[in-house]
Amino acid sequence: MVTVLNHPLITHKLTFMRMQETGHKDFRENLDEIASLMAYEVCRDLPLKDVEITTPMAECTSQILDTEVILVPILRAGMGLVDGIMDLIPTAKVGFIGLYRDEKTLEPVEYFAKFPKELPEGVCLVLDPMLATGGSAIAAVDMIKKRGAKNIKMVCLVGAPEGVKAFTEAHPDVDLYLAALDDHLNDIGYIVPGLGDAGDRIYGTK
Ligand code: PRP
Ligand code: URA
């Protein structure tokens, strides 16, 4: 399932992220706020369990989350989505995948992996602002599936149609959430209109 979260607040904040004159501080702040808004929708189907509680008025049955949530940012740019989601799910655990895209081949190259032990039982939210060719997202989901992850959602900010096609063909069992579906990839693998290089814009490199 592919869900494009066409929400006015998300679209408004994303417009400021796209503008080339937006500096890294404002870019990061808008990304953080969008991450929280996306988390609200992405977590809509998390499982709940009954608990017996006592309010000031009476005993009753109420519900709390019945799963570990594991955030898996793809380094570097995926880190930009972590804090905004953590604001809503402060008990979330975090695993890390280090991948970069080789600038010539556009193939993802793995350089780091570290996950909490609950990875196989939890709901894993794999985070990366950009889904361009889809190579990095596909490799990241391959990596956590190999380590036993079963319940996986892929959360991206901007996707290209080429990346959406590749990802959904490679991992038809993984729900994909986007804040926006853009027009196309250019000949060096950048999303158009996109927002440029997300990692560089978050961290002020280049
Ligand atoms: C960017 C982005 C994705 C990847 C998307 O990362 O954050 O991880 O490219 O491209 P793809 O869909 O074609 O694989 P980059 O390799 O620039 O690394 P960075 O996050 O360290 O900047
Ligand atoms: N990675 C980015 O950061 N931006 C793009 O447009 C494509 C890949």
Side-chain angles (χ1 to χ4, degrees):
M1 186 190 63
V2 181
T3 305
V4 182
L5 301 173
N6 285 317
H7 187 289
L9 292 178
I10 293 177
T11 305
H12 174 86
K13 292 173 194 299
L14 181 55
T15 297
F16 287 91
M17 293 183 69
R18 291 184 188 277
M19 291 174 182
Q20 61 178 355
E21 64 270 27
T22 299
H24 60 282
K25 172 181 172 289
D26 290 334
F27 189 90
R28 257 200 319 260
E29 285 173 3
N30 278 296
L31 179 58
D32 200 44
E33 290 167 9
I34 291 176
S36 296
L37 292 167
M38 290 187 79
Y40 184 78
E41 188 58 35
V42 169
C43 294
R44 185 174 282 285
D45 64 352
L46 289 187
L48 294 167
K49 66 179 174 195
D50 286 350
V51 286
E52 302 305 320
I53 63 164
T54 308
T55 77
M57 310 305 293
E59 291 181 354
C60 70
T61 305
S62 195
Q63 294 181 312
I64 58 172
L65 286 180
D66 189 25
T67 184
E68 290 277 1
V69 176
I70 299 156
L71 309 183
V72 184
I74 302 177
L75 304 178
R76 289 174 303 168
M79 282 303 295
L81 291 161
V82 169
D83 287 350
I85 301 179
M86 281 278 211
D87 284 345
L88 294 197
I89 318 170
T91 54
K93 294 189 173 166
V94 184
F96 297 90
I97 292 181
L99 284 179
Y100 69 87
R101 224 169 50 144
D102 182 284
E103 284 183 6
K104 290 208 177 66
T105 64
L106 300 184
E107 290 297 317
V109 181
E110 181 184 327
Y111 63 87
F112 188 72
K114 180 92 182 163
F115 304 104
K117 65 178 185 329
E118 295 82 1
L119 190 77
E121 302 91 51
V123 174
C124 302
L125 307 185
V126 181
L127 312 176
D128 195 325
M130 309 308 278
L131 185 75
T133 64
S136 304
I138 291 169
V141 172
D142 283 339
M143 284 169 69
I144 62 171
K145 279 185 174 173
K146 259 187 220 136
R147 288 163 170 92
K150 290 179 264 314
N151 193 339
I152 305 169
K153 296 168 186 280
M154 183 75 217
V155 183
C156 301
L157 195 65
V158 181
E162 296 87 334
V164 171
K165 181 169 184 295
F167 184 83
T168 51
E169 283 174 7
H171 294 295
D173 54 320
V174 176
D175 290 341
L176 169 63
Y177 296 85
L178 298 170
L181 179 59
D182 273 13
D183 196 61
H184 66 279
L185 285 184
N186 69 10
D187 55 4
I188 54 166
Y190 276 79
I191 300 174
V192 181
L195 45 73
D197 187 305
D200 285 342
R201 294 200 65 188
I202 292 169
Y203 295 110
T205 44
K206 270 197 191 151

